[in-house]
Amino acid sequence: MKTMLEIASRKPELEGRLQHRSPHNGTFRESAFCERFFKLVGNLLFYYRISDLSQIEDEPMGVMILENYSVFPDSTTNLPYTFELLFHNEPDKRHIFTTRTEDDMAHWVKMLQNSSYQHWRDQYDDLISKLNSIYDQKHKEASFMIKNLSKNRIQSTTFIPSRWPVTSNNSKVKPTVSEEDLIKF
């Protein structure tokens, strides 16, 4: 079994410095944001302490498991480029993040929204539904073509007895099929 440290050391889908304000019992511990380094690995959001010398610590100080949550731009603070992470089982505890640019904020929001296993399960179910729809349509088309082909084959393989070769004793000979006849089918 892999430890969290092994998972945290993997190449992240997204990483960077964000200002973060975490909740404490439904209220904010401090009014100030703390700069943290965040790494998104799968559905795990690791966060690291940054030293006074701007060095990122080797081990994460914590991890958020991104399941049963929402991420969206925050409109409750007066700060620009702010987004919110809210876990559905703790609606009174909001994690607030700020980025340096609007593009950074949009990128973090999109990546975080697409990180949960439920998101990928929904994507998978949607694709299976589309594939089944395509399969059903192609199956109907193939059935129709086979039905029409069978009708045409029956009509084109009907031999007229008067054209069959006759032997000297006036008995009819079973016709042979030439390559030209096969190509017609």
Side-chain angles (χ1 to χ4, degrees):
M1 188 167 139
K2 295 185 183 202
T3 67
M4 286 296 202
L5 287 177
E6 289 174 323
I7 295 170
S9 66
R10 289 186 193 163
K11 185 176 190 258
E13 284 85 15
L14 184 61
E15 64 183 353
R17 294 174 184 243
L18 298 172
Q19 297 292 324
H20 175 234
R21 188 164 69 180
S22 61
H24 181 68
N25 296 330
T27 61
F28 293 106
R29 268 186 264 163
E30 303 172 16
S31 59
F33 284 82
C34 294
E35 185 176 36
R36 301 280 183 237
F37 185 80
F38 287 87
K39 283 176 74 172
L40 179 62
V41 180
N43 71 332
L44 302 173
L45 184 61
F46 293 95
Y47 51 99
Y48 297 78
R49 193 173 271 123
I50 300 174
S51 74
D52 292 338
L53 300 173
S54 199
Q55 296 295 316
I56 300 164
E57 292 188 357
D58 292 334
E59 292 186 13
M61 72 184 274
V63 63
M64 295 180 208
I65 301 171
L66 300 177
E67 292 300 326
N68 198 22
Y69 68 102
S70 297
V71 178
F72 45 88
D74 180 52
S75 59
T76 61
T77 63
N78 294 329
L79 298 170
Y81 321 126
T82 306
F83 65 94
E84 180 177 333
L85 181 114
L86 177 69
F87 291 96
H88 297 172
N89 58 344
E90 299 177 314
D92 56 335
K93 295 183 180 180
R94 303 175 339 177
H95 293 267
I96 308 289
F97 301 87
T98 64
T99 62
R100 294 177 187 217
T101 67
E102 188 173 352
D103 288 342
D104 286 347
M105 181 194 67
H107 189 62
W108 273 98
V109 168
K110 181 178 179 181
M111 291 297 289
L112 291 170
Q113 287 174 339
N114 295 339
S115 293
S116 75
Y117 287 125
Q118 186 60 47
H119 167 78
W120 291 108
R121 179 63 189 188
D122 293 345
Q123 293 292 314
Y124 171 80
D125 290 343
D126 187 45
L127 289 173
I128 291 297
S129 176
K130 288 177 182 175
L131 285 172
N132 285 336
S133 176
I134 291 168
Y135 173 79
D136 290 344
Q137 181 63 32
K138 295 296 181 187
H139 182 71
K140 287 177 186 175
E141 290 172 8
S143 295
F144 178 77
M145 290 174 64
I146 290 171
K147 189 182 218 181
N148 285 340
L149 182 62
S150 296
K151 286 179 184 177
N152 292 340
R153 182 174 278 170
I154 291 170
Q155 292 170 356
S156 64
T157 57
T158 306
F159 292 98
I160 302 170
S162 62
R163 293 183 60 202
W164 287 359
V166 178
T167 61
S168 58
N169 62 4
N170 284 337
S171 65
K172 293 184 178 176
V173 177
K174 193 172 188 179
T176 58
V177 178
S178 68
E179 273 188 46
E180 286 181 14
D181 291 334
L182 289 175
I183 292 173
K184 291 178 187 175
F185 293 109

